[in-house]
Amino acid sequence: MENKKKRVARIPVIELFGPTIQGEGMVIGRKTIFVRTAGCDYRCVWCDSKFTWDGSEKDKIRQLTPEEVFQEILEIGTTEDGRRNFDHVTLTGGNPALLKSLGELIDYLHGEGIKVGLETQGSRWQDWFTKVDDLTISPKPPSSMMKTNFFILDDIVKRLTEAGTNFSLKVVVFDDKDFEYAKMVHKKYPHVPFYLSVGNEDANEEGDISPRLLRKLGWLWDKVLADPDMNDVRPLPQLHTLVWWNRRGV
């Protein structure tokens, strides 16, 4: 009987860029390279990466093997004198948690001495979550027009906690209802490091948007400072939008 050929994992990559600076969450300020996958099970109204799921850039999606992804990472992450200018890769989307094949990419990157970060909304479990070096679960607040399945989120938090995975929760806050949602999430999982991020109401606005975002950050800080239920949270800006505005590929 002939041996079956091993299936080669394919990853739908829609863009890959860096090295750049991680702009939010538990590893804010970290030098990293981003690998953005296509596809999402959510349709957030304010999504800043709708092109990953709305079909507008479907012609840019490439089905790459883990080795091919790594080779492209090396191409942009190696200096002219041959040194690696990165040691961290961020997997983002869309929702990369839809892809079982990412486990093989994570193994490949770890084999090359590279740490891996990931952000997902907590709507789908993958066994490879426990391999991620810094995992951000970002459930979506009411302003997104999405509804959190807390049965699934409870299970994900439980599994990650039991596995000792380095993970955190992050909620993007646009308005008072989002803030109350964030409080509820924090109360449900008080043992999990918790971050707030300022929402960007217009991801297509051109030019310097930092004054608008800094005013919103001041509003968020005032909310946190006045609320005893939010003593152990970290309200942060989207750092990259303060520096690079709404530009893509940075």
Side-chain angles (χ1 to χ4, degrees), residues 19 31 74-86:
K31 184 194 288 189
L74 275 185
E75 286 178 15
I76 65 172
T78 303
T79 61
E80 291 184 358
D81 60 357
R83 294 187 299 164
R84 287 189 189 176
N85 194 26
F86 72 101

Side-chain angles (χ1 to χ4, degrees), residues 211-224:
R212 169 168 64 81
L213 295 178
L214 286 171
R215 286 192 296 270
K216 196 62 176 281
L217 180 61
W219 167 83
L220 181 59
W221 281 8
D222 287 342
K223 297 280 289 184
V224 170

Side-chain angles (χ1 to χ4, degrees), residues 17-23 27 29-35 85-91 115 117:
F17 60 92
T20 186
I21 300 296
Q22 172 59 259
V27 286
R30 180 75 155 89
K31 184 194 288 189
T32 190
I33 287 178
F34 277 85
V35 176
N85 194 26
F86 72 101
D87 62 2
H88 187 276
V89 167
T90 299
L91 305 175
K115 292 186 176 180

